């Protein structure tokens, strides 16, 4: 029995040593790649504006009577590239704008409070400094649905309509396990520092429409900023944002809500939450899609077609 235990102990020790060496190799490899990739992200895909003493990236493309403003979901490493498959189908007819909030894409990572009031103020200020005027058709993905609702509640003259790309809603977070979420995000942030996150962003996990160069840029950004302090602080600010939204009437703007099957959201009643919210609005339509949470990366053609019909009806 002692010999068996001794052998098991040796195997575990060898496994531990191999694991430590492997992580060490990955860590060094990541550091080398970070230095190599600096030229890839030296200049933003978009333009920098200064907000609160830091650089924020704003991307624009196309012209038209309506301005579609895309707001990314939590932790999306490169929003300008993430939304490209969808907005490239719309830029011939509309002005496209993508905001990369602090902690996203080419924008600076800042260690400060990230209340949704602050996020909204900074986004509006960035648009003003970039010379971009509303009203906007807000196109939020996931968590940015809260910002879009607050925007329409607080500044209704600036919001022409909302196009939800599997957007989160206040009731999304009623039974959310905040402790587990924050622990997972902090673990992911640690994994990024070790260099492990780099291997998550394989070609199969990136938007299919990107060129090889754009995939390299996406990976370079993700390896640097995925699940950073801004993302974590935003998550901590969600309960306060939900309370603020609930204390005001639902926004009286037209809404088109594209909704996934919900399996990647972690919310059991995802679809019913979307339908319940829309049922209280005078001008809202829910379109169910049989795909994952990043709907704009799965069904771009259908979404673009329906957005065009919706926007032209405004």
């Amino acid at each position: 029995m002692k010999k068996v235990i001794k052998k098991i102990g040796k195997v575990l020790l060898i496994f531990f040593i191999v694991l430590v060496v492997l992580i060490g190799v990955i860590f060094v490899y990541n550091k080398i790649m970070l230095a190599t990739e600096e030229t890839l992200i030296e200049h933003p895909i978009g333009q920098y504006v200064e907000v609160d003493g830091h650089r924020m990236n704003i991307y624009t493309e196309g012209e038209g009577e309506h301005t579609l403003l895309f707001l990314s979901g939590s932790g999306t490493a490169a929003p300008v590239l993430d939304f490209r498959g969808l907005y490239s189908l719309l830029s011939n007819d509309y002005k496209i704008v993508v905001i990369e909030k602090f902690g996203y894409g080419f924008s600076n990572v800042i260690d400060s409070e990230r209340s949704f009031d602050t996020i909204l103020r900074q986004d509006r200020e960035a648009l003003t400094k970039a010379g971009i005027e509303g009203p906007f058709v807000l196109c939020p993905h996931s968590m940015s649905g809260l910002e879009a609702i607050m925007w329409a509640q607080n500044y209704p003259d600036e919001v022409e309509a909302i196009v939800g790309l599997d957007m989160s809603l206040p009731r999304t977070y009623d039974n959310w396990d905040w402790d587990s979420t924050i622990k997972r995000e902090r673990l992911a942030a640690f994994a990024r520092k070790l260099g492990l996150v780099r291997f998550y962003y394989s070609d199969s996990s990136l938007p299919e429409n990107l060129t090889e160069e754009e995939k390299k840029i996406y990976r370079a950004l993700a390896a640097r900023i995925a699940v950073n302090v801004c993302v974590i602080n935003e998550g901590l600010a969600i309960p306060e944002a939900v309370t603020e939204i609930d204390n005001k009437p639902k926004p009286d703007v037209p809404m088109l809500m594209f909704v996934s099957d919900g399996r990647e959201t972690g919310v059991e009643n995802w679809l019913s939450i979307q339908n319940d919210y829309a049922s209280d609005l005078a001008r809202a339509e829910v379109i169910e899609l049989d795909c994952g949470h990043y709907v704009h990366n799965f069904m771009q053609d259908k979404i673009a077609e329906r957005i065009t019909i919706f926007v032209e009806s405004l």
Side-chain angles (χ1 to χ4, degrees):
M1 186 65 180
K2 290 183 179 180
K3 289 183 178 180
V4 173
I5 294 174
K6 191 174 182 180
K7 287 182 179 180
I8 293 174
K10 287 182 179 179
V11 171
L12 291 176
L13 179 60
I14 293 171
F15 175 78
F16 177 75
I17 292 172
V18 170
L19 181 62
V20 170
V21 171
L22 179 61
I23 291 175
V25 170
I26 291 173
F27 178 79
V28 173
Y29 170 75
N30 184 59
K31 288 294 185 182
I32 294 171
M33 290 301 296
L34 289 175
T36 303
E37 293 164 343
E38 285 183 0
T39 55
L40 281 173
I41 58 174
E42 184 178 2
H43 302 290
I45 302 175
Q47 63 170 313
Y48 282 132
V49 293
E50 184 176 311
V51 178
D52 292 351
H54 303 282
R55 295 190 305 183
M56 185 181 290
N57 185 44
I58 303 289
Y59 176 81
T60 61
E61 177 182 315
E63 293 294 336
E65 180 183 351
H66 302 276
T67 300
L68 276 55
L69 175 57
F70 289 82
L71 304 168
S72 69
S74 176
T76 299
V80 169
L81 296 176
D82 179 62
F83 286 121
R84 176 153 290 180
L86 177 56
Y87 67 65
S88 63
L89 300 175
L90 298 161
S91 59
N92 286 336
D93 300 309
Y94 309 112
K95 182 170 185 176
I96 303 299
V97 181
V98 183
I99 290 181
E100 292 191 327
K101 297 172 287 191
F102 289 129
Y104 291 74
F106 291 90
S107 297
N108 289 160
V109 176
I110 61 174
D111 189 0
S112 64
E113 66 88 14
R114 299 299 293 151
S115 72
F116 279 68
D117 286 321
T118 295
I119 293 170
L120 179 53
R121 175 186 60 78
Q122 290 171 340
D123 285 355
R124 294 176 66 245
E125 183 176 334
L127 291 168
T128 299
K129 290 189 173 182
I132 301 170
E133 298 179 352
F136 306 106
V137 177
L138 301 180
C139 301
H141 173 239
S142 195
M143 184 193 71
S144 283
L146 298 182
E147 181 184 357
I149 292 172
M150 290 179 66
W151 205 324
Q153 287 177 325
N154 297 338
Y155 308 99
D157 292 342
E158 297 179 10
V159 180
E160 186 177 13
I162 295 176
V163 174
L165 301 171
D166 219 25
M167 62 186 280
S168 294
L169 298 165
R171 301 288 70 76
T172 299
Y173 301 101
D174 283 351
N175 299 306
W176 198 264
D177 188 343
W178 293 105
D179 288 339
S180 295
T181 299
I182 298 303
K183 287 177 181 177
R184 286 196 302 269
E185 288 185 342
R186 286 174 175 160
L187 181 61
F190 180 66
R192 170 178 50 81
K193 293 176 181 178
L194 290 178
L196 299 174
V197 165
R198 175 179 296 278
F199 299 96
Y200 172 79
Y201 290 92
S202 61
D203 283 359
S204 61
S205 67
L206 295 176
E208 294 180 358
N209 63 294
L210 299 182
T211 65
E212 288 304 314
E213 184 72 5
E214 288 169 342
K215 289 179 181 178
K216 290 179 181 178
I217 293 172
Y218 201 118
R219 251 183 236 106
L221 289 170
R224 281 166 170 75
I225 66 169
V227 199
N228 57 68
V229 66
C230 290
V231 174
I232 294 174
N233 287 344
E234 284 173 357
L236 293 171
I238 287 176
E240 180 185 352
V242 169
T243 298
E244 184 175 337
I245 289 170
D246 285 343
N247 286 333
K248 297 177 181 178
K250 289 183 178 179
D252 183 23
V253 298
M255 292 184 64
L256 178 64
M257 302 163 65
F258 295 98
V259 185
S260 74
D261 55 29
R263 284 179 290 183
E264 294 180 356
T265 66
V267 179
E268 186 175 340
N269 53 340
W270 181 261
L271 184 56
S272 63
I273 289 173
Q274 304 279 333
N275 283 311
D276 289 347
Y277 190 88
S279 67
D280 289 336
L281 302 175
R283 296 169 292 172
E285 180 183 3
V286 175
I287 298 177
E288 299 178 23
L289 302 174
D290 185 19
C291 66
H293 184 45
Y294 278 71
V295 294
H296 49 282
N297 287 332
F298 293 108
M299 306 187 76
Q300 301 99 323
D301 292 335
K302 180 176 181 178
I303 293 173
E305 180 181 354
R306 295 302 296 264
I307 287 178
T308 300
I309 295 171
F310 173 70
V311 172
E312 293 305 312
S313 71
L314 297 174

